[in-house]
Amino acid sequence: MAIGSKELVSSELDTFDDEKLVDELKKSKEELFNLRFQSATGQLESHGRLRAVKRDIARIYTVIRERELGIRATPAPVEVPAKAEKKKSTKKADAAADAAQAPAETKEEAE
């Protein structure tokens, strides 16, 4: 994340699912802990980063709470088209598949 957290804009957070939001929250909290530790030991170079990370955390909490209350819509799950699997056609596999389908067809015909 860069200073100012241009990556965690609220419009960007709207596209995240709940698991990814929780993951981002965990990352931000860890970063805040590390920044506070650096500040306490005198190693922190950018004090503005503390403020930006705190705001990111608040922004994430806001999005999560708004979703709980139904104010903000949860993103619809996007189905990723599965790539066509390379299927090695073997005579044994084809024969086994045909044999498995044949008994089911005969039972349906018998009824």
Side-chain angles (χ1 to χ4, degrees), residues 50-107:
L50 273 169
R51 183 178 181 189
V53 173
K54 285 180 186 179
R55 287 185 177 190
D56 287 343
I57 291 171
R59 198 173 291 124
I60 294 169
Y61 273 131
T62 301
V63 170
I64 291 172
R65 183 65 178 151
E66 286 178 349
R67 285 185 182 175
E68 288 174 0
L69 296 175
I71 297 170
R72 191 179 296 239
T74 306
V78 178
E79 292 186 23
V80 179
K83 293 183 179 179
E85 295 180 23
K86 292 183 179 179
K87 186 177 179 182
K88 292 184 179 180
S89 179
T90 61
K91 291 180 182 178
K92 289 182 181 178
D94 290 339
D98 291 338
Q101 290 177 353
E105 291 174 0
T106 56
K107 286 182 184 177

